Amino acid sequence: MLAYTVKRLLQGAATVWFIATATFVAMHSVPGDPLANQRATSEEIRRNLEERYGLDRPVIEQYGIFLGSMLRGDFGISFTQENRRVNDIIRENFPVSATLGILAVTFAALGGILWGALTALYRNRLPDLVITFLVILGISVPSFVVAALGQLALVNLNAAVGEPLLPVAGWGTLRHMIVPSLVLGLGTMAYLTRLMRSSMLEIADADFIRTARAKGLPPTRIFLKHQLRNAILPVVTVLGPAIAAITTGGFVVELVFAIPGLGRYFVTAVQQLDYTVIMGTTVFYGAFLVVMVIAVDLLYGWIDPRVRLE
Amino acid sequence: MDAQPAPRRDPVTRAAVRQLLVLGAVCVAVFAGLMAALAWASSITGGGSAVHRAIDFETRTITLVLEDEPPQLDSTRSTDAISFRILGHVMEGLIRYDASNDLVPGVAERWEIRPEGATFWLREDARWSDGRPVTAHDFVFAWRKVVDPANASEYAFILYPVRHAEAINTRTLPVEQLGVRAVSPRVLEVEFEGPVAFFDKLVAFGLYFPVREDFYESRGERYGADAVDLLYNGPFAMTRWVHGAHVRLEKNPHYWNRDTVQLNTIDMPYVTSDTTAAVNLFKDGSIASTGLGQEQLEEAMKLRWNLGRYVDGSVFYVDFNFRPERPTSNVHLRRALQLVNDSAELVNKVIALPGYQPGVSMFPGWLTGVEGPFRHEYPPPVVTPDHDKAREHLAIARQELGDIRPLVLLTDDSPIANKQAEYYQNLFQRTLGIEIRLDKQIFKQRLEKMTSGDFDMVAAGWGPDYADPLTYGDLYASWNGNNRGLYENPELDAQVRIAQSSLDPRTRMDAFGEIQRILIEDAVHLPAFERGRLFVQRPELRGVVRRTVGTDPDYTHAWLEETP
Amino acid sequence: MTPPLRFQPADFEPISAGPPTAAPSRPSLSYWQDSWRRLRRNRRAFVSLAIVAALGVFAVAGPWIWPRDPAAQDVDQISQAPALPPTAAIVDPYTPWAGVTAEPPADGPRWEPASAGPSVTNLRLAEPATTQAVRLVWDGVEGAAGYVVYRSVYDPAPDRALGLPLGDTVGAARVSYEDRLDVEERRYWYSVVVLGEDSTERDAYATLVVEPVRAVSAEEAELRGWVADASRISPGDTIALPYHPLGTDYLGRDLLARLMHGARVSLFIGVVAPLLYVLAGIVVGSAAGFIGGRVDQLLMRFADFVVALPFLLFMILFKVAFGIGPGESGILPMLVALVLLSWPAAARLVRGQILQVRQEAYVAASRLLGAKTGYLVFRHMIPQTMGVILVTLTFAVPSAIFTEAFLSFIGMGVAPPTPSWGSMANEGIRTMLSHPHELLFPAFAISIAVLAFNLLGDGLRDALDVRMRGRE
């Protein structure tokens, strides 16, 4: 187990190195000039800026410096926010994205399990059809449309009530988080509902359920202990990647609801060619994904004895 | 389809539904609990404010939306409109603009501007937000910082009228040689490089704001990075800055003119450039004012909003590339394009936003000439769209150039720029049969291509730095770095030199009139529009000043009034 | 005890291929025949297949059936909702009017409440109102600093909701105004307010209801190709304007034509990108699976690396890194980025399948019976993997379509004027309230496509899954 963990961690480190390198290469092959400005600047000012960001050195040296400071956990100073460190940006804005992501996944998982179980129980009857229809909507409408409609619905709801039930945008309190996390979790919830449904149906046909029924176990017990518990397993396995994917994929919701998450920073940084922020964010997110995957694998091996960690 | 539908009263199903109901309840409880926990956690990391309402009479607070986060608030290095807007509220220069847009004393209680220099006498009661007086030395320090090459301020050129500023900025002289010195803590002496006709207007600009040396040094590279990393001498002070999320300004108790400031707090807990989100916030009663886009007009009329409009001073146009290998260096081709360009159609049909004015000249309509509006004194030559004449010019261009290859129109990725570019593409194709290739690039890539001359035409715009026609007039001077198409015309250069060095208003305005004529007759660019702003504001909020030059919008003189 | 076997020479003769002793009761079905049979029986999947086919026809043949140029703009019909074919009256060409327009408003807005004061009188049209221009004149008020003209599509009474501030005139004698701002064929309430000497508005206002007639000049009609010869029509005639069954977009372009051309782009990216990266995946995966050993290790380790890249972040990065040149649509960089980031998933899948199938008992049996490698590959490996690959492919289409839409949303999609469903939906989202059709149609198209491919994928999975054979 220990050996396996160490091996996985080493692999993880190598992966992070690969991500860093890929980002560096992509970044430096981008056409355009990160130091260009609306007002034309003189050669001297340009040189000063290049010096400040180390852009005057050969690329290979820049790469070395980048890797070195990355090892020390320092991503340098932002190009556009000239006196903020990328580390500060990540420290301040990642928790927002993570909060949003965790909430969204929680919502998606709870909803997915509930709806999935219901559709399986009411297979091919009205509740199933209705929920399936909603799920289909959930996966087939682009997220930015859902987000914009969600915000609009909120405005109309508040207007109808005459009292601001929930804020329309912004971040800070509990009430700010509800609608964005619902919107963000919708796609995943739809996916989990489908997964849960098929998993429930598969298990309903399993031998051990038939045996349990034959033994005359109370239906409640069969459902809870045998069917639901076993059906949830596949859902649980996808949660880890889902958290990571949602946390790193919340751009749209962050943009529409004016949420100060890291994703929004990344989009602006790309438009501004803010080298350090782009590289810092990408490497950080990459490392976050890698750690999540390793953690889930280890956890899974620990929960499910059938899984052998090599 | 199910081969055997489950019997209706299957005990398993009934029990399961019961169980699921319980599970559902538990889910809701868990979700709520988690939200509470996260809310608590997030209040540690930042945010943590209640739901914001637009106007609070009791605390005299207004809530607004901020379009973008200021990159940083070190005034010696600021470049963008948002930074200047916030700096305009929390800082004060020697001279400032009042509510009716006249220049009035700021930190300086009086001043004297001579052809070779200027003297400013600072008021005694000007204070920093820590209670210490604002001195002449703070200005000397700040101005030296701006031109210090090591500080790499992109706006340093705005100080070039000060003696030696350019030489210092290009490393030929040490910083100490800058022509500004503190005669005493309350007297500031400025020497000019040459005569400047509008130095009082320049001094109101953000790059001329003071910075206190000891505080600056104590913050090191973090000066201006956070609310606590900045010292304020303006009507307001920043008390909260959660990056990307929240900026709050509160009345500065040390400001010398504090009795005239009516608002206690300007809260900006929303940062978004999305006008739809901003309008939604306004509709929801969360913010006191917001700008409107064309797509919200219908809604605004339906909701019976009272709308305001003003021109923000920027002109937009299509620049040509004059490098000899480019077809656009041919005057007949440019003239042909000019003769089919119909800026009225662009503004009325495509942009369709009240407040926008069709572009007719490089010099926008709000500029003042000798006495009245510049445009009345020097009406620009009228170019009426004339397709037949355009085709004649095109025929000549074809003779001179041979086949005209498709022209590249460089544009950025903002919605209006896209509309504009697509409109031009179709227009030139339809009327002249000239194929236009759009080159849509993100901001920095577009700038890079502009600088390296990798375009035939580029959709560009220019915002005023100070309220004098020169802010537009020198743009096509052959030495100007912003003349990205490398237009070169000795006649125009001569006029720019006159406008720069003369102190006589008539002579200067004549020169600008000449520049305007040359720009149109030589078809140096295609005017597109003068930008307008349409906004909606809660009726209780009064006295907000909108400006073409300077802090915009300016809430310094605003007050709240409960409507009957 | 059984009697000892007695062998005779005849027992060692090969038996002749006689008629089979037990004929199967139903005709024998190949794998694909069986799959097709079961796919057809799955109603949802079959309908989806039909929709996919229809979308294909829509994209490929659509532009021939509806040969409208998707780039042709009509600034007189901007953001028109679906409606019956419009007509326009022919009028004289537009000539500038002396009583013009709009000074730029005085510096700063008037946000002071209106004060009591007189109203202008006799507000009237100087000439019949058309969509070219609405020309207003009124009787001025002595001592006014100027007038402000407002326009609304609602009645300003009773709460003085005057609508859009169109423009100012300066001076008491400037008693005319020309409105050309996006004048449509609908009812407008024009209001004129007096500006007092202190430059604040007076509260009284005069209102005029105007219903402009859609009009176009003969020259303009010819230039736009609506009539063949301008000289054959004259003012007073009426011509039919081009018909836009789904309305028009923000530049007056035909939405149906754009939807069709957008389908080409979106479906091209949606289908070709998965095809390419699945193909790459098959090559790499089968190489890894067959060769094994070092090569397998190396390829799979590299695939692990690529899988670990945060997808959307790198999609954006690559999109920017590849850049778009002038006049390019940006489809190619998007394809390349998608392929670069997505091949490992397919490669892993194929490799896993091949390793698994290699160890199946029937493959071993087949090999024992002397089957050649080629036979093994084509008879057992390919059908086994093809099913999974086909299903992966089908499910990959919706995600590629979504990726395109997402990139459009953050402004990094295909370059204008190339239409794609994603960029159209993104444009439409801003005008969601005023012109919902601009969002509705492209969003609906995306949803339909995504849905169809998802359901088809479900159906294919059920149909192709060998374990499902014989079960229903």
Side-chain angles (χ1 to χ4, degrees):
Chain A
M1 180 78 186
L2 183 72
Y4 175 75
T5 312
V6 170
K7 188 180 152 208
R8 284 302 303 268
L9 284 178
L10 282 179
Q11 278 175 4
T15 312
V16 172
W17 164 80
F18 176 78
I19 294 171
T21 310
T23 319
F24 187 87
V25 171
M27 207 60 260
H28 281 261
S29 55
V30 167
D33 177 2
L35 298 178
N37 207 284
Q38 189 74 60
R39 298 285 192 261
T41 46
S42 65
E43 273 306 303
E44 288 70 28
I45 290 180
R46 228 201 119 69
R47 259 205 311 277
N48 289 327
L49 286 172
E50 278 178 1
E51 250 169 61
R52 181 185 292 169
Y53 293 107
L55 290 182
D56 50 344
R57 296 159 200 254
V59 175
I60 194 77
E61 198 183 327
Q62 289 184 44
Y63 177 65
I65 293 171
F66 166 61
L67 280 190
S69 47
M70 197 185 84
L71 276 181
R72 278 180 277 115
D74 175 14
F75 292 114
I77 302 172
S78 160
F79 275 57
T80 41
Q81 308 211 327
E82 291 161 37
N83 39 21
R84 284 186 78 204
R85 306 204 74 80
V86 178
N87 289 23
D88 294 336
I89 293 177
I90 293 176
R91 203 190 56 234
E92 283 170 34
N93 298 288
F94 177 67
V96 174
S97 290
T99 307
L100 194 64
I102 291 171
L103 265 180
V105 169
T106 312
F107 158 71
L110 294 181
I113 291 169
L114 195 67
W115 298 129
L118 270 179
T119 49
L121 285 174
Y122 284 98
R123 189 181 182 188
N124 290 338
R125 281 188 301 173
L126 193 64
D128 180 22
L129 296 181
V130 170
I131 295 172
T132 309
F133 177 72
L134 291 177
V135 161
I136 283 170
L137 269 187
I139 48 173
S140 62
V141 181
S143 55
F144 58 89
V145 176
V146 176
L149 290 178
Q151 191 180 45
L152 187 65
L154 200 55
V155 174
N156 291 335
L157 182 74
N158 285 350
V161 178
E163 178 74 9
L165 287 181
L166 293 172
V168 167
W171 189 251
T173 65
L174 181 70
R175 299 168 62 189
H176 287 102
M177 302 173 189
I178 296 173
V179 176
S181 59
L182 288 184
V183 169
L184 182 56
L186 206 63
T188 314
M189 186 184 79
Y191 170 66
L192 291 182
T193 305
R194 278 160 53 112
L195 194 67
M196 183 71 190
R197 181 176 188 268
S198 60
S199 162
M200 281 283 286
L201 289 179
E202 204 169 295
I203 294 212
D205 285 349
D207 292 340
F208 60 86
I209 297 284
R210 209 177 312 141
T211 314
R213 282 199 200 205
K215 276 203 307 189
L217 281 183
T220 315
R221 204 177 147 80
I222 297 178
F223 175 71
L224 266 189
K225 261 212 116 146
H226 297 279
Q227 198 177 354
L228 197 61
R229 244 173 86 165
N230 282 299
I232 282 177
L233 260 181
V235 174
V236 173
T237 41
V238 301
L239 281 188
I243 289 183
I246 280 190
T247 306
T248 58
F251 305 85
V252 171
V253 169
E254 288 174 15
L255 285 167
V256 171
F257 288 96
I259 293 169
L262 202 48
R264 199 168 67 143
Y265 256 100
F266 179 77
V267 174
T268 344
V270 168
Q271 274 153 359
Q272 299 283 335
L273 288 190
D274 190 334
Y275 277 8
T276 42
V277 172
I278 294 172
M279 293 200 278
T281 316
T282 318
V283 172
F284 176 79
Y285 265 153
F288 174 71
L289 275 172
V290 167
V291 169
M292 282 300 281
V293 169
I294 294 178
V296 168
D297 280 2
L298 291 177
L299 202 67
Y300 200 52
W302 180 61
I303 294 173
D304 191 341
R306 285 174 304 181
V307 175
R308 275 280 146 72
L309 301 178
E310 359 152 5
Chain B
M1 279 284 133
D2 228 357
Q4 295 160 300
R8 277 209 174 275
R9 297 206 149 268
D10 180 357
V12 179
T13 311
R14 271 168 54 202
V17 169
R18 253 198 326 271
Q19 290 299 322
L20 277 177
L21 284 179
V22 176
L23 182 73
V26 172
C27 286
V28 171
V30 170
F31 195 58
L34 191 79
M35 298 272 277
L38 284 170
W40 174 77
S42 72
S43 70
I44 299 172
T45 55
S49 40
V51 177
H52 303 271
R53 306 309 296 162
I55 283 177
D56 188 338
F57 291 103
E58 227 161 88
T59 56
R60 281 193 283 177
T61 297
I62 59 167
T63 304
L64 300 168
V65 63
L66 196 62
E67 290 96 316
D68 243 318
E69 149 120 338
Q72 45 89 22
L73 286 174
D74 175 354
S75 59
T76 67
R77 281 194 289 151
S78 289
T79 53
D80 65 296
I82 303 287
S83 299
F84 285 133
R85 185 196 305 169
I86 292 179
L87 283 170
H89 285 90
V90 299
M91 293 288 177
E92 184 171 68
L94 294 163
I95 302 176
R96 64 176 301 131
Y97 285 101
D98 72 354
S100 44
N101 279 320
D102 294 321
L103 289 170
V104 294
V107 173
E109 56 187 355
R110 63 198 172 87
W111 61 89
E112 182 187 288
I113 296 179
R114 303 171 300 272
E116 73 285 357
T119 311
F120 296 88
W121 288 271
L122 275 55
R123 65 178 71 247
E124 190 181 11
D125 51 352
R127 292 280 182 279
W128 289 103
S129 49
D130 62 356
R132 287 173 48 190
V134 180
T135 66
H137 180 76
D138 301 335
F139 286 92
V140 175
F141 177 75
W143 295 10
R144 282 183 180 169
K145 267 279 166 236
V146 174
V147 296
D148 185 351
N151 197 35
S153 173
E154 285 154 15
Y155 242 117
F157 69 89
I158 203 93
L159 264 89
Y160 282 6
V162 180
R163 191 165 167 79
H164 294 324
E166 187 167 3
I168 294 165
N169 198 232
T170 52
R171 289 191 211 234
T172 37
L173 281 177
V175 169
E176 291 69 32
Q177 295 283 312
L178 185 68
V180 58
R181 75 202 158 87
V183 178
S184 79
R186 288 182 46 209
V187 179
L188 187 73
E189 241 347 294
V190 186
E191 277 177 87
F192 295 157
E193 188 76 39
V196 250
F198 46 88
F199 194 70
D200 48 349
K201 290 171 185 163
L202 275 182
V203 165
F205 192 68
L207 269 285
Y208 283 85
F209 287 165
V211 173
R212 203 169 79 202
E213 184 170 8
D214 61 330
F215 188 83
Y216 185 93
E217 300 300 346
S218 74
R219 296 292 147 163
E221 68 174 18
R222 285 195 58 79
Y223 179 79
D226 254 314
V228 292
D229 295 321
L230 203 56
L231 212 50
Y232 312 92
N233 77 325
F236 294 89
M238 187 188 253
T239 52
R240 185 186 184 89
W241 187 0
V242 182
H243 288 280
H246 196 162
V247 169
R248 184 187 288 155
L249 309 182
E250 284 181 63
K251 188 172 167 177
N252 180 0
H254 295 282
Y255 180 55
W256 65 270
N257 203 6
R258 56 191 164 270
D259 297 339
T260 62
V261 179
Q262 302 253 6
L263 292 179
N264 277 340
T265 311
I266 303 171
D267 204 19
M268 292 171 269
Y270 311 101
V271 180
T272 177
S273 53
D274 180 1
T275 46
T276 311
V279 168
N280 279 339
L281 283 166
F282 184 84
K283 256 162 87 177
D284 200 47
S286 307
I287 55 172
S289 173
T290 181
L292 294 175
Q294 197 249 329
E295 52 274 9
Q296 283 107 21
L297 298 184
E298 202 76 27
E299 185 81 353
M301 287 189 274
K302 192 168 149 203
L303 294 170
R304 310 182 78 78
W305 284 345
N306 239 324
L307 305 181
R309 69 174 185 135
Y310 66 110
V311 287
D312 77 348
S314 301
V315 286
F316 290 80
Y317 44 85
V318 173
D319 252 339
F320 291 116
N321 196 341
F322 293 89
R323 289 166 178 81
E325 72 278 11
R326 297 278 168 174
T328 41
S329 61
N330 181 291
V331 66
H332 289 286
L333 177 59
R334 295 201 306 274
R335 184 67 52 75
L337 295 171
Q338 187 187 38
L339 281 167
V340 295
N341 176 39
D342 184 354
S343 58
E345 184 178 73
L346 174 70
V347 166
N348 283 321
K349 300 288 185 183
V350 178
I351 296 172
L353 198 57
Y356 276 67
Q357 303 288 324
V360 291
S361 159
M362 181 69 205
F363 297 96
W366 59 270
L367 284 171
T368 313
V370 183
E371 275 149 12
F374 178 79
R375 184 157 297 169
H376 288 185
E377 293 172 358
Y378 300 90
V382 179
V383 181
T384 327
D386 184 339
H387 296 180
D388 294 331
K389 230 159 99 191
R391 278 188 278 269
E392 283 167 27
H393 281 287
L394 186 63
I396 304 175
R398 283 229 162 86
Q399 277 172 13
E400 291 175 8
L401 291 170
D403 249 357
I404 296 174
R405 63 170 170 77
L407 302 178
V408 175
L409 173 57
L410 183 61
T411 174
D412 66 17
D413 51 0
S414 73
I416 283 206
N418 270 341
K419 264 192 190 181
Q420 196 191 341
E422 287 181 77
Y423 167 75
Y424 281 132
Q425 182 182 40
N426 189 255
L427 176 76
F428 296 144
Q429 169 78 49
R430 198 183 65 215
T431 53
L432 295 175
I434 295 179
E435 190 189 334
I436 303 288
R437 296 219 167 121
L438 297 188
D439 190 4
K440 173 186 157 187
Q441 299 290 345
I442 58 170
F443 182 66
K444 294 272 170 166
Q445 290 178 354
R446 172 174 151 272
L447 283 177
E448 207 253 335
K449 286 194 155 189
M450 277 173 81
T451 311
S452 61
D454 188 4
F455 64 92
D456 294 314
M457 297 190 269
V458 58
W462 194 253
D465 293 326
Y466 43 88
D468 185 272
L470 187 62
T471 194
Y472 302 96
D474 68 348
L475 201 60
Y476 290 95
S478 58
W479 59 84
N480 192 319
N482 292 305
N483 175 3
R484 270 137 172 159
L486 300 189
Y487 178 68
E488 208 172 335
N489 184 343
E491 208 187 325
L492 184 132
D493 286 356
Q495 297 296 336
V496 175
R497 286 217 171 80
I498 295 173
Q500 278 178 335
S501 56
S502 169
L503 288 178
D504 173 46
R506 173 68 62 188
T507 319
R508 296 186 72 235
M509 293 306 150
D510 282 350
F512 291 129
E514 270 305 287
I515 293 172
Q516 176 173 261
R517 186 190 59 79
I518 294 170
L519 289 179
I520 292 171
E521 285 180 1
D522 206 13
V524 178
H525 66 191
L526 303 177
F529 53 85
E530 295 168 22
R531 186 161 65 189
R533 299 272 190 191
L534 197 66
F535 65 94
V536 58
Q537 187 174 301
R538 292 201 69 88
E540 299 89 349
L541 176 59
R542 308 269 301 276
V544 180
V545 181
R546 312 271 166 164
R547 291 206 175 89
T548 45
V549 179
T551 314
D552 169 55
D554 186 350
Y555 296 94
T556 311
H557 315 283
W559 73 93
L560 300 176
E561 197 167 295
E562 276 182 88
T563 44
Chain C
M1 278 207 49
T2 47
L5 290 167
R6 274 176 217 280
F7 293 108
Q8 286 168 2
D11 289 336
F12 295 92
E13 293 285 311
I15 51 168
S16 60
T21 44
S25 55
R26 295 185 205 170
S28 160
L29 286 175
S30 79
Y31 173 69
W32 293 108
Q33 281 173 324
D34 180 45
S35 302
W36 174 243
R37 185 179 60 96
R38 280 184 306 131
L39 182 69
R40 239 181 1 195
R41 220 179 274 172
N42 182 339
R43 225 185 312 155
R44 272 207 295 216
F46 199 69
V47 170
S48 308
L49 187 64
I51 292 177
V52 167
L55 283 174
V57 172
F58 183 72
V60 176
W64 273 302
I65 299 166
W66 183 251
R68 190 67 63 77
D69 179 5
Q73 300 172 5
D74 177 0
V75 290
D76 289 319
Q77 289 199 65
I78 279 176
S79 295
Q80 295 284 314
L84 291 173
T87 56
I90 298 297
V91 293
D92 288 325
Y94 174 82
T95 43
W97 188 44
V100 204
T101 1
E103 304 282 330
D107 204 14
R110 293 164 301 277
W111 202 257
E112 300 314 303
S115 52
S119 164
V120 304
T121 47
N122 201 13
L123 175 61
R124 61 199 184 273
L125 287 169
E127 54 190 71
T130 68
T131 51
Q132 269 191 342
V134 175
R135 290 170 173 174
L136 301 168
V137 286
W138 56 88
D139 294 346
V141 169
E142 194 80 18
Y147 306 92
V148 190
V149 181
Y150 286 90
R151 186 182 86 189
S152 180
V153 291
Y154 299 93
D155 190 347
D159 54 345
R160 203 181 181 273
L162 302 176
L164 309 177
L166 291 178
D168 302 21
T169 66
V170 178
R174 297 288 294 275
V175 288
S176 56
Y177 184 81
E178 180 189 57
D179 175 30
R180 299 180 67 199
L181 184 83
D182 194 24
V183 182
E184 289 176 35
E185 197 172 23
R186 64 192 294 188
R187 175 177 295 197
Y188 291 112
W189 279 263
Y190 282 92
S191 306
V192 177
V193 177
V194 175
L195 270 182
E197 271 162 358
D198 52 352
S199 274
T200 62
E201 288 184 8
R202 298 295 175 247
D203 61 352
Y205 60 91
T207 299
L208 180 70
V209 179
V210 176
E211 287 186 52
V213 182
R214 190 188 293 282
V216 70
S217 70
E219 289 73 16
E220 188 71 13
E222 188 190 333
L223 193 69
R224 292 184 185 276
W226 298 336
V227 291
D229 184 3
S231 58
R232 298 183 51 187
I233 48 174
S234 54
D237 291 354
T238 303
I239 58 161
L241 296 185
Y243 177 43
H244 306 290
L246 296 187
T248 57
D249 76 348
Y250 59 98
L251 281 171
R253 295 176 291 202
D254 185 68
L255 213 57
L256 178 59
R258 286 183 72 73
L259 217 53
M260 285 167 171
H261 285 264
R264 290 185 167 184
V265 174
S266 290
L267 292 180
F268 180 77
I269 292 172
V271 174
V272 172
L275 264 180
L276 285 178
Y277 70 68
V278 165
L279 209 67
I282 291 175
V283 173
V284 176
S286 47
F290 276 117
I291 301 170
R294 273 277 163 82
V295 177
D296 183 24
Q297 278 271 321
L298 203 73
L299 285 175
M300 283 304 114
R301 183 61 55 233
F302 187 65
D304 285 348
F305 280 159
V306 178
V307 163
L309 298 176
F311 178 74
L312 287 180
L313 272 71
F314 266 84
M315 216 34 226
I316 297 170
L317 261 187
F318 281 164
K319 190 78 201 339
V320 178
F322 295 145
I324 303 181
E328 290 173 15
S329 60
I331 296 172
L332 204 66
M334 207 183 283
L335 271 187
V336 174
L338 264 170
V339 172
L340 277 182
L341 285 172
S342 310
W343 64 267
R348 276 178 166 183
L349 201 75
V350 173
R351 171 179 173 271
Q353 284 287 316
I354 283 178
L355 288 184
Q356 197 186 337
V357 175
R358 250 163 79 161
Q359 296 184 351
E360 291 281 353
Y362 64 86
V363 176
S366 183
R367 185 174 284 154
L368 210 65
L369 287 173
K372 304 231 165 52
T373 316
Y375 178 82
L376 276 179
V377 169
F378 287 105
R379 184 82 185 95
H380 295 301
M381 306 267 185
I382 293 288
Q384 282 291 329
T385 38
M386 271 322 276
V388 177
I389 288 169
L390 206 58
V391 172
T392 317
L393 202 62
T394 319
F395 281 124
V397 175
S399 72
I401 292 177
F402 268 168
T403 306
E404 186 271 322
F406 165 78
L407 286 176
S408 288
F409 174 73
I410 60 168
M412 294 186 186
V414 294
T418 315
S420 79
W421 288 348
S423 61
M424 289 170 74
N426 182 38
E427 289 295 343
I429 205 150
R430 285 184 288 121
T431 55
M432 183 164 73
L433 285 176
S434 44
H435 312 295
H437 71 280
E438 285 177 52
L439 170 64
L440 227 60
F441 291 120
F444 186 67
I446 295 178
S447 299
I448 285 287
V450 166
L451 187 62
F453 276 101
N454 266 322
L455 292 182
L456 181 63
D458 276 350
L460 273 180
R461 188 175 49 199
D462 291 348
L464 294 174
D465 192 340
V466 188
R467 287 174 305 170
M468 295 285 282
R469 274 200 208 201
R471 277 176 57 182
E472 210 51 57

